Amino acid sequence: MNFESGHSDMVHDAQLDYYGRRLATCSSDRTIKVFDIVGDQHTHLADLRGHEGPVWQVSWAHPKFGSLIASCSFDHKIIIWKENADKQWVQAYTSPPSLHSASINSLCWAPHELGLHLAAASSDGTVSTLTYQADGSWLANKMPGSHAIGATAVSWAPSVAPGSLVSGKAPEGCVKRLVSSGCDNTVRVWHFSEASLSWREERPLTGHTDWVRDVAWAPSLGLPKNTIASAGQDGQVFAWNETSAGEWERVLIHDFKTPVWRVSWSTTGSILAVSDSSNAVTLWKETIDGVWQQVSHS
Protein backbone atom coordinates (compact mmCIF):
# COMPACT_ATOMS: atom_id res chain seq x y z
CA MET A 1 0.00 0.00 0.00
CA ASN A 2 1.39 3.39 -1.05
CA PHE A 3 -0.13 6.80 -0.41
CA GLU A 4 0.90 10.43 -0.11
CA SER A 5 1.53 11.17 3.58
CA GLY A 6 1.06 14.91 3.36
CA HIS A 7 4.35 15.61 5.14
CA SER A 8 6.32 18.52 3.70
CA ASP A 9 9.73 16.96 4.36
CA MET A 10 11.41 13.55 4.70
CA VAL A 11 9.43 10.86 6.55
CA HIS A 12 11.62 9.07 9.12
CA ASP A 13 9.29 6.48 10.64
CA ALA A 14 5.89 4.85 10.17
CA GLN A 15 4.33 2.57 12.79
CA LEU A 16 1.06 0.65 12.89
CA ASP A 17 -0.80 0.29 16.18
CA TYR A 18 -1.37 -3.04 17.94
CA TYR A 19 -4.38 -3.93 15.76
CA GLY A 20 -2.87 -2.70 12.50
CA ARG A 21 -5.79 -0.30 12.05
CA ARG A 22 -4.05 3.04 12.60
CA LEU A 23 -0.75 4.37 11.30
CA ALA A 24 1.47 7.07 12.81
CA THR A 25 4.16 8.77 10.73
CA CYS A 26 6.78 11.37 11.64
CA SER A 27 8.93 13.70 9.62
CA SER A 28 11.59 16.40 9.46
CA ASP A 29 8.66 18.82 9.09
CA ARG A 30 8.35 18.47 12.92
CA THR A 31 4.91 16.86 12.78
CA ILE A 32 3.32 13.49 13.45
CA LYS A 33 0.37 12.36 11.38
CA VAL A 34 -2.19 9.72 12.34
CA PHE A 35 -4.16 7.76 9.74
CA ASP A 36 -6.95 5.21 9.85
CA ILE A 37 -6.17 2.19 7.65
CA VAL A 38 -8.88 -0.09 6.25
CA GLY A 39 -7.76 -2.41 3.47
CA ASP A 40 -6.26 -0.25 0.74
CA GLN A 41 -8.02 2.86 2.00
CA HIS A 42 -6.60 5.45 4.40
CA THR A 43 -8.13 8.41 6.19
CA HIS A 44 -6.11 11.23 7.72
CA LEU A 45 -7.19 11.64 11.36
CA ALA A 46 -4.85 14.12 13.03
CA ASP A 47 -1.70 16.22 12.92
CA LEU A 48 0.30 16.29 16.15
CA ARG A 49 2.47 19.38 16.60
CA GLY A 50 4.74 20.12 19.53
CA HIS A 51 8.29 19.21 18.56
CA GLU A 52 10.75 21.92 17.58
CA GLY A 53 12.96 19.77 15.36
CA PRO A 54 12.86 16.73 13.09
CA VAL A 55 10.91 13.84 14.63
CA TRP A 56 12.88 10.62 14.30
CA GLN A 57 10.62 7.88 15.67
CA VAL A 58 7.10 7.15 16.90
CA SER A 59 5.84 4.19 18.93
CA TRP A 60 2.33 3.06 19.92
CA ALA A 61 1.77 1.81 23.46
CA HIS A 62 -0.19 -1.39 24.08
CA PRO A 63 -3.98 -0.69 23.85
CA LYS A 64 -4.51 -1.80 27.48
CA PHE A 65 -3.10 1.64 28.39
CA GLY A 66 -5.38 3.52 25.99
CA SER A 67 -4.38 5.30 22.77
CA LEU A 68 -0.85 6.54 23.43
CA ILE A 69 1.89 7.50 20.99
CA ALA A 70 5.45 8.35 22.06
CA SER A 71 7.67 10.46 19.80
CA CYS A 72 11.30 11.55 19.98
CA SER A 73 13.08 14.35 18.23
CA PHE A 74 16.25 16.27 17.44
CA ASP A 75 14.90 18.89 19.89
CA HIS A 76 16.05 16.70 22.86
CA LYS A 77 12.44 15.92 23.82
CA ILE A 78 10.15 12.94 24.21
CA ILE A 79 6.45 13.70 23.91
CA ILE A 80 3.75 11.21 24.90
CA TRP A 81 0.47 11.91 23.10
CA LYS A 82 -2.91 10.67 24.34
CA GLU A 83 -6.19 10.44 22.49
CA ASN A 84 -9.02 11.65 24.72
CA ALA A 85 -12.69 10.73 24.73
CA ASP A 86 -13.41 13.36 22.07
CA LYS A 87 -10.92 11.70 19.70
CA GLN A 88 -8.59 14.67 20.12
CA TRP A 89 -4.85 14.13 20.68
CA VAL A 90 -3.21 16.02 23.54
CA GLN A 91 0.29 16.11 25.00
CA ALA A 92 0.10 13.92 28.12
CA TYR A 93 3.81 14.28 28.93
CA THR A 94 6.86 16.18 27.71
CA SER A 95 10.30 15.20 28.97
CA PRO A 96 12.18 17.89 30.94
CA PRO A 97 15.37 19.50 29.53
CA SER A 98 17.36 17.65 32.21
CA LEU A 99 16.55 14.23 30.76
CA HIS A 100 18.68 14.48 27.61
CA SER A 101 21.03 17.17 26.31
CA ALA A 102 21.11 16.11 22.64
CA SER A 103 18.97 14.55 19.94
CA ILE A 104 16.83 11.61 21.07
CA ASN A 105 17.20 9.09 18.28
CA SER A 106 15.09 6.09 19.27
CA LEU A 107 12.39 4.98 21.68
CA CYS A 108 10.55 1.78 22.48
CA TRP A 109 7.68 0.79 24.78
CA ALA A 110 8.29 -2.14 27.11
CA PRO A 111 6.19 -5.32 26.90
CA HIS A 112 2.82 -4.50 28.45
CA GLU A 113 3.26 -7.13 31.18
CA LEU A 114 5.94 -4.90 32.74
CA GLY A 115 3.64 -1.89 32.98
CA LEU A 116 3.87 1.43 31.16
CA HIS A 117 7.62 1.84 30.58
CA LEU A 118 9.38 3.69 27.78
CA ALA A 119 13.08 3.51 26.89
CA ALA A 120 14.97 6.07 24.79
CA ALA A 121 18.45 6.43 23.28
CA SER A 122 20.14 9.80 22.82
CA SER A 123 23.13 11.36 21.07
CA ASP A 124 24.28 12.58 24.50
CA GLY A 125 25.53 9.00 25.05
CA THR A 126 22.86 7.89 27.50
CA VAL A 127 19.86 5.59 27.53
CA SER A 128 16.89 6.51 29.71
CA THR A 129 13.65 4.90 30.86
CA LEU A 130 10.37 6.54 31.83
CA THR A 131 7.95 4.71 34.13
CA TYR A 132 4.33 5.74 34.67
CA GLN A 133 3.44 6.18 38.35
CA ALA A 134 0.12 5.69 40.15
CA ASP A 135 -0.16 9.46 40.77
CA GLY A 136 0.01 10.20 37.04
CA SER A 137 3.65 11.30 37.01
CA TRP A 138 6.56 9.76 35.09
CA LEU A 139 9.71 8.53 36.87
CA ALA A 140 12.93 8.92 34.88
CA ASN A 141 15.90 6.58 35.22
CA LYS A 142 19.14 7.03 33.26
CA MET A 143 22.06 4.84 32.30
CA PRO A 144 24.87 7.44 32.17
CA GLY A 145 27.70 6.92 29.73
CA SER A 146 25.88 4.10 27.98
CA HIS A 147 27.62 4.72 24.64
CA ALA A 148 30.55 7.02 23.95
CA ILE A 149 29.75 9.66 21.29
CA GLY A 150 26.06 8.71 21.24
CA ALA A 151 23.35 6.05 21.53
CA THR A 152 21.43 5.22 18.37
CA ALA A 153 18.73 2.68 19.25
CA VAL A 154 17.08 0.75 22.07
CA SER A 155 14.88 -2.35 22.25
CA TRP A 156 13.21 -4.26 25.12
CA ALA A 157 13.60 -7.96 25.73
CA PRO A 158 10.49 -10.16 25.86
CA SER A 159 8.95 -10.11 29.33
CA VAL A 160 8.88 -13.91 29.58
CA ALA A 161 12.04 -15.88 30.22
CA PRO A 162 13.30 -18.04 27.32
CA GLY A 163 11.91 -21.56 27.48
CA SER A 164 9.02 -20.72 29.80
CA LEU A 165 6.49 -21.94 27.24
CA VAL A 166 8.00 -25.42 26.99
CA SER A 167 9.32 -25.72 30.54
CA GLY A 168 7.50 -27.75 33.15
CA LYS A 169 8.46 -25.23 35.82
CA ALA A 170 6.24 -22.39 36.95
CA PRO A 171 7.19 -18.96 35.51
CA GLU A 172 9.54 -17.00 37.76
CA GLY A 173 8.04 -13.62 36.94
CA CYS A 174 8.64 -11.00 34.29
CA VAL A 175 12.09 -10.25 32.93
CA LYS A 176 13.15 -6.60 32.67
CA ARG A 177 16.03 -6.36 30.18
CA LEU A 178 16.86 -4.20 27.20
CA VAL A 179 19.52 -3.76 24.55
CA SER A 180 21.05 -0.57 23.16
CA SER A 181 23.37 0.33 20.29
CA GLY A 182 25.67 3.24 19.69
CA CYS A 183 28.35 5.17 17.86
CA ASP A 184 30.99 3.25 19.83
CA ASN A 185 30.46 0.29 17.43
CA THR A 186 28.97 -1.67 20.33
CA VAL A 187 25.73 -3.37 21.35
CA ARG A 188 25.08 -3.38 25.12
CA VAL A 189 22.70 -5.61 27.11
CA TRP A 190 21.16 -4.27 30.34
CA HIS A 191 19.03 -5.66 33.17
CA PHE A 192 17.10 -3.90 35.90
CA SER A 193 18.16 -4.72 39.44
CA GLU A 194 15.17 -4.73 41.79
CA ALA A 195 17.59 -4.66 44.74
CA SER A 196 19.25 -1.37 43.76
CA LEU A 197 16.35 -0.10 41.61
CA SER A 198 18.82 0.73 38.86
CA TRP A 199 19.94 -0.55 35.48
CA ARG A 200 23.12 -2.64 35.25
CA GLU A 201 25.07 -3.48 32.12
CA GLU A 202 25.41 -7.23 31.60
CA ARG A 203 28.00 -7.19 28.85
CA PRO A 204 29.05 -5.37 25.66
CA LEU A 205 28.67 -7.23 22.36
CA THR A 206 31.42 -6.36 19.89
CA GLY A 207 31.87 -7.25 16.24
CA HIS A 208 30.78 -4.20 14.25
CA THR A 209 33.56 -2.01 12.85
CA ASP A 210 31.50 1.19 12.59
CA TRP A 211 28.46 2.77 14.20
CA VAL A 212 25.66 0.35 15.11
CA ARG A 213 22.63 2.02 13.57
CA ASP A 214 19.85 -0.17 14.97
CA VAL A 215 19.19 -3.06 17.32
CA ALA A 216 16.11 -5.23 17.86
CA TRP A 217 15.40 -7.95 20.43
CA ALA A 218 13.34 -10.73 18.88
CA PRO A 219 10.00 -11.76 20.39
CA SER A 220 10.45 -15.21 21.93
CA LEU A 221 6.85 -16.23 22.74
CA GLY A 222 8.29 -18.36 25.54
CA LEU A 223 10.44 -20.52 23.26
CA PRO A 224 13.91 -21.52 24.50
CA LYS A 225 15.82 -18.81 22.63
CA ASN A 226 17.01 -15.21 23.08
CA THR A 227 18.07 -13.45 19.88
CA ILE A 228 19.13 -9.87 19.15
CA ALA A 229 19.64 -8.41 15.67
CA SER A 230 22.00 -5.50 15.06
CA ALA A 231 22.59 -3.39 11.96
CA GLY A 232 25.72 -1.38 11.28
CA GLN A 233 27.12 1.47 9.26
CA ASP A 234 29.69 -1.17 8.23
CA GLY A 235 26.96 -2.93 6.21
CA GLN A 236 26.84 -5.98 8.45
CA VAL A 237 23.75 -7.41 10.14
CA PHE A 238 24.40 -9.80 13.02
CA ALA A 239 22.20 -12.17 15.00
CA TRP A 240 23.31 -12.57 18.62
CA ASN A 241 22.10 -15.77 20.31
CA GLU A 242 22.26 -16.13 24.09
CA THR A 243 23.56 -19.47 25.35
CA SER A 244 22.40 -21.27 28.50
CA ALA A 245 25.58 -20.00 30.18
CA GLY A 246 24.58 -16.39 29.53
CA GLU A 247 27.15 -15.81 26.77
CA TRP A 248 26.24 -14.34 23.39
CA GLU A 249 27.23 -16.02 20.12
CA ARG A 250 27.49 -13.81 17.03
CA VAL A 251 26.26 -14.98 13.62
CA LEU A 252 26.62 -12.89 10.45
CA ILE A 253 23.24 -12.76 8.72
CA HIS A 254 24.58 -10.86 5.71
CA ASP A 255 27.14 -8.25 4.69
CA PHE A 256 25.18 -5.75 2.61
CA LYS A 257 28.29 -3.76 1.56
CA THR A 258 26.31 -0.59 2.25
CA PRO A 259 25.13 1.05 5.49
CA VAL A 260 22.11 -0.65 7.06
CA TRP A 261 19.58 1.63 8.77
CA ARG A 262 16.93 -0.49 10.46
CA VAL A 263 16.09 -4.06 11.50
CA SER A 264 12.66 -5.24 12.60
CA TRP A 265 11.29 -8.64 13.67
CA SER A 266 7.99 -10.22 12.73
CA THR A 267 5.49 -10.74 15.56
CA THR A 268 6.65 -14.33 16.06
CA GLY A 269 10.34 -13.46 15.86
CA SER A 270 10.91 -15.85 12.94
CA ILE A 271 11.50 -13.32 10.13
CA LEU A 272 13.80 -10.29 10.17
CA ALA A 273 13.21 -7.26 7.94
CA VAL A 274 16.29 -5.23 6.98
CA SER A 275 16.37 -1.81 5.30
CA ASP A 276 19.60 -0.41 3.88
CA SER A 277 20.94 2.73 2.23
CA SER A 278 20.28 1.36 -1.27
CA ASN A 279 16.55 1.83 -0.55
CA ALA A 280 16.05 -1.93 -0.40
CA VAL A 281 14.03 -3.88 2.17
CA THR A 282 14.83 -7.58 2.48
CA LEU A 283 13.35 -10.37 4.60
CA TRP A 284 15.54 -13.02 6.23
CA LYS A 285 14.76 -16.33 7.93
CA GLU A 286 16.97 -18.76 9.85
CA THR A 287 16.98 -22.33 8.59
CA ILE A 288 16.89 -25.35 10.89
CA ASP A 289 20.68 -25.67 10.65
CA GLY A 290 21.26 -22.06 11.75
CA VAL A 291 21.93 -20.52 8.32
CA TRP A 292 20.16 -17.25 7.46
CA GLN A 293 18.55 -17.07 4.03
CA GLN A 294 16.86 -14.27 2.19
CA VAL A 295 13.19 -14.94 1.55
CA SER A 296 12.03 -11.70 -0.05
CA HIS A 297 13.24 -8.47 -1.62
CA SER A 298 11.49 -5.22 -2.40
Side-chain angles (χ1 to χ4, degrees), residues 217-231:
W217 204 310
S220 73
L221 303 183
L223 297 175
K225 190 173 185 180
N226 247 338
T227 303
I228 294 169
S230 63

Side-chain angles (χ1 to χ4, degrees), residues 208-213 231-236 257-261:
H208 285 284
T209 58
D210 207 334
W211 290 12
V212 186
R213 288 289 186 178
Q233 181 74 17
D234 58 8
Q236 298 183 100
K257 309 296 184 183
T258 189
V260 181
W261 303 128

Side-chain angles (χ1 to χ4, degrees), residues 13-251:
D13 197 19
Q15 295 290 334
L16 288 166
D17 69 357
Y18 179 82
Y19 298 110
R21 293 293 304 273
R22 290 194 291 181
L23 177 74
T25 62
C26 62
S27 164
S28 281
D29 66 8
R30 306 182 179 188
T31 67
I32 297 149
K33 291 180 180 289
V34 182
F35 300 88
D36 186 61
I37 305 294
V38 179
D40 292 333
Q41 304 300 313
H42 70 280
T43 303
H44 176 245
L45 300 178
D47 288 333
L48 312 184
R49 295 183 172 88
H51 282 293
E52 300 168 5
V55 186
W56 303 131
Q57 277 192 19
V58 288
S59 181
W60 292 86
H62 191 277
K64 72 175 287 185
F65 303 112
S67 293
L68 296 175
I69 297 174
S71 58
C72 63
S73 167
F74 181 78
D75 64 6
H76 311 178
K77 291 191 297 187
I78 296 169
I79 298 179
I80 297 175
W81 310 82
K82 182 175 183 178
E83 186 182 34
N84 60 27
D86 298 325
K87 302 298 182 183
Q88 299 297 311
W89 289 88
V90 297
Q91 293 185 28
Y93 172 83
T94 302
S95 62
S98 59
L99 184 63
H100 288 292
S101 59
S103 173
I104 302 176
N105 304 314
S106 173
L107 45 67
C108 181
W109 290 104
H112 67 89
E113 297 91 348
L114 298 177
L116 197 54
H117 299 273
L118 182 72
S122 170
S123 290
D124 64 12
T126 65
V127 174
S128 66
T129 59
L130 295 170
T131 301
Y132 185 73
Q133 305 294 293
D135 62 1
S137 64
W138 291 83
L139 176 66
N141 202 325
K142 291 184 73 173
M143 292 159 252
S146 309
H147 293 272
I149 311 176
T152 55
V154 65
S155 178
W156 289 86
S159 61
V160 293
S164 60
L165 183 65
V166 295
S167 173
K169 300 179 181 178
E172 297 180 358
C174 291
V175 177
K176 193 179 291 186
R177 301 170 79 192
L178 56 79
V179 62
S180 62
S181 60
C183 303
D184 56 0
N185 308 351
T186 304
V187 173
R188 300 184 186 275
V189 179
W190 308 81
H191 77 274
F192 187 77
S193 169
E194 297 293 347
S196 63
L197 298 180
S198 62
W199 286 92
R200 304 285 183 85
E201 183 180 355
E202 293 182 14
R203 65 188 70 247
L205 308 181
T206 58
H208 285 284
T209 58
D210 207 334
W211 290 12
V212 186
R213 288 289 186 178
D214 197 21
V215 67
W217 204 310
S220 73
L221 303 183
L223 297 175
K225 190 173 185 180
N226 247 338
T227 303
I228 294 169
S230 63
Q233 181 74 17
D234 58 8
Q236 298 183 100
V237 174
F238 290 121
W240 306 83
N241 299 310
E242 188 176 28
T243 68
S244 57
E247 300 296 325
W248 291 87
E249 297 178 341
R250 186 181 77 234
V251 177

Side-chain angles (χ1 to χ4, degrees), residues 216-219 225-230 236-242 248-256 263-266 268-274 282-296:
W217 204 310
K225 190 173 185 180
N226 247 338
T227 303
I228 294 169
S230 63
Q236 298 183 100
V237 174
F238 290 121
W240 306 83
N241 299 310
E242 188 176 28
W248 291 87
E249 297 178 341
R250 186 181 77 234
V251 177
L252 177 64
I253 294 178
H254 189 66
D255 186 347
F256 289 79
V263 285
S264 179
W265 292 98
S266 63
T268 59
S270 59
I271 296 177
L272 181 70
V274 180
T282 53
L283 301 181
W284 299 80
K285 185 178 179 65
E286 186 180 18
T287 64
I288 195 169
D289 55 358
V291 177
W292 286 85
Q293 294 183 344
Q294 184 177 328
V295 296
S296 176

